[in-house]
Amino acid sequence: MQAEKAIEGDARQRTEDGELGEACENVWSESSYHELYSSDTAQFVTENDGPFDHHDVEDPNINVGIKFQNIDCFRDALRQHAIRKEFSMKYLRSEPSRVTAKCADPDCPWRIHASVMHDRVTFQIKTHNPTHTCSSMNRRGTSMASAEWISNKIVDWLRHEGDIPISQIKKRLQRTYGLDNVPYHRYWRGKDKGNFKIWGSYENLYALVPSMRAELLKRNEGSIIHYTDVDHSFERFFVCFKACSSGFINGCRPFIGLDGCHLKSKYLGSLLAATAMDGNSGLFPVAYAIVEGENSSSWQWFLEYLHEAIGNVNGLVFMSDRGKGLDDAVKIVFPQAEHRTCMRHLYKNFKRKYPREISLVSC
């Protein structure tokens, strides 16, 4: 009995000293471990903080003993530090339990090593040589600015400002972090990843279209909203709200401009739109649709639902560019309506085909 108590006491002492055996690791909870190692004797744990240190996202602390929530947090902090200090690094070892990195310049002594703690989650920096001897040309942090890092930096911009041109993203990051020669495609992928973090994947969003149609009809009674698919894949989507059709019939001139434009999303397609003019000569949206492309079939499909929304309007006039298949579609669906060509587009098309003749007329 005394021998068993002595063994039990010795095991308890080893546990208190931090030498945890496999049995202790299996029995102890993560919270009990952190309570033990967040005492006043812990040199690198901030008072009243959790098991890991809180870091400045823009300038993380990577001194010896600093703890991180997990390996991903450590890697993110390491990348941010390299970009901020304008140097490139490479991983000598990158495993779930330990990470070792050094400066990309083989003659530079900068080096850091971190490994997982007893809870198998928290990472702690064990060794760090902060000295850099590499030249300024070798210390550019361009290679460290990955698409994932770019997405993390711009996701809040995209969330609050909507779509931001790649050129504007490039200027902002260059001004803030001094990045140089980051390729365009990396900014593009960073923006794509940022949009994914906000909105999710295109596939998941397309899958929600039928639910969105049902919700729109529920909240806008009398609207004309149609959705078609092919083998359960999105094909076309038409929208004409009741307020828009009533506003056109009761408050706009009998004039509608038809036009389409190419979409630049992952799955492309075309946007078709019907726009009128109100009493103040302002643009008034009537209907729009997402289709697979501009052709006779898609334009006729669009105009058929537009006819369902507005009916036969006396003196109705359509104006358009030289849209593919649009002339025949208007004649079929609105045989009594006038169809004219936009003079501005007609001039541009004529100039493209007969540039010399236009130059002579201008002279």
Side-chain angles (χ1 to χ4, degrees):
M1 182 66 70
Q2 292 180 352
E4 292 177 358
K5 290 184 178 180
I7 294 173
E8 182 180 355
D10 184 58
R12 186 183 301 109
Q13 184 63 39
R14 288 199 308 272
T15 300
E16 293 175 355
D17 291 340
E19 298 177 5
L20 302 179
E22 291 185 3
C24 294
E25 290 180 356
N26 294 332
V27 173
W28 281 21
S29 66
E30 183 177 343
S31 60
S32 63
Y33 166 79
H34 289 311
E35 288 174 2
L36 174 64
Y37 280 86
S38 60
S39 62
D40 294 338
T41 60
Q43 184 178 357
F44 302 106
V45 178
T46 307
E47 185 179 0
N48 296 327
D49 276 349
F52 46 84
D53 299 291
H54 296 284
H55 302 276
D56 182 353
V57 176
E58 294 298 321
D59 188 14
N61 184 357
I62 61 167
N63 293 324
V64 174
I66 296 299
K67 298 176 183 178
F68 296 85
Q69 186 174 0
N70 51 50
I71 188 173
D72 293 329
C73 293
F74 171 69
R75 286 173 176 159
D76 291 343
L78 200 58
R79 183 179 297 275
Q80 178 66 23
H81 175 77
I83 293 174
R84 186 174 182 84
K85 300 300 180 182
E86 298 182 354
F87 72 93
S88 297
M89 67 175 186
K90 64 179 182 179
Y91 288 106
L92 301 179
R93 182 181 290 108
S94 183
E95 302 171 357
S97 60
R98 53 184 177 173
V99 173
T100 304
K102 71 177 297 295
C103 182
D105 188 334
D107 299 326
C108 181
W110 185 91
R111 182 185 177 99
I112 192 169
H113 173 76
S115 61
V116 71
M117 298 184 67
H118 294 285
D119 63 354
R120 301 185 185 279
V121 178
T122 306
F123 250 68
Q124 185 179 40
I125 299 176
K126 300 301 176 63
T127 61
H128 179 213
N129 183 353
T131 304
H132 275 286
T133 60
C134 51
S135 62
S136 58
M137 289 193 64
N138 290 329
R139 292 183 57 181
R140 294 184 181 273
T142 301
S143 62
M144 303 306 301
S146 65
E148 181 64 25
W149 179 85
I150 292 174
S151 70
N152 290 333
K153 295 302 175 185
I154 69 174
V155 64
D156 286 337
W157 302 348
L158 296 173
R159 182 177 289 110
H160 294 99
E161 302 178 36
D163 187 47
I164 304 177
I166 299 296
S167 58
Q168 186 64 26
I169 294 175
K170 181 178 179 179
K171 288 180 181 179
R172 293 190 191 184
L173 293 178
Q174 282 181 336
R175 183 170 59 249
T176 305
Y177 300 102
L179 300 179
D180 192 17
N181 297 326
V182 176
Y184 176 90
H185 69 83
R186 201 181 298 171
Y187 285 113
W188 187 92
R189 287 191 291 112
K191 179 182 176 181
D192 189 56
K193 287 177 176 288
N195 284 324
F196 175 81
K197 292 175 181 178
I198 299 173
W199 305 108
S201 67
Y202 285 105
E203 292 78 5
N204 292 337
L205 292 176
Y206 275 116
L208 295 175
V209 172
S211 299
M212 183 180 69
R213 175 182 179 272
E215 189 67 19
L216 289 174
L217 290 174
K218 177 182 177 181
R219 296 177 179 272
N220 300 271
E221 294 184 3
S223 299
I224 306 298
I225 302 174
H226 288 276
Y227 163 68
T228 63
D229 59 18
V230 178
D231 296 329
H232 303 289
S233 296
F234 178 90
E235 184 185 26
R236 296 171 178 172
F237 190 67
F238 175 90
V239 176
C240 179
F241 293 112
K242 177 62 177 178
C244 294
S245 59
S246 298
F248 169 72
I249 295 172
N250 299 313
C252 292
R253 305 170 188 177
F255 171 87
I256 292 179
L258 300 175
D259 200 3
C261 66
H262 298 292
L263 299 177
K264 298 181 180 180
S265 65
K266 181 178 180 180
Y267 294 101
L268 303 178
S270 296
L271 172 68
L272 308 183
T275 308
M277 296 184 68
D278 59 20
N280 294 324
S281 297
L283 297 179
F284 185 86
V286 180
Y288 66 90
I290 307 297
V291 297
E292 72 281 4
E294 288 191 68
N295 51 57
S296 298
S297 175
S298 61
W299 271 118
Q300 183 174 338
W301 178 86
F302 175 76
L303 292 175
E304 286 174 353
Y305 286 121
L306 179 64
H307 184 272
E308 181 181 342
I310 65 175
N312 293 313
V313 178
N314 293 329
L316 181 62
V317 177
F318 287 105
M319 182 187 72
S320 69
D321 185 15
R322 190 180 56 183
K324 296 180 180 179
L326 183 54
D327 290 339
D328 294 337
V330 172
K331 291 178 183 178
I332 294 173
V333 182
F334 291 92
Q336 304 301 322
E338 294 286 342
H339 185 201
R340 295 291 180 260
T341 301
C342 173
M343 193 63 192
R344 177 173 173 271
H345 286 92
L346 182 63
Y347 170 79
K348 291 180 65 176
N349 293 335
F350 191 86
K351 183 179 180 180
R352 187 183 301 110
K353 190 171 184 178
Y354 305 102
R356 185 172 179 275
E357 287 77 359
I358 290 294
S359 299
L360 292 175
V361 172
S362 301
C363 294

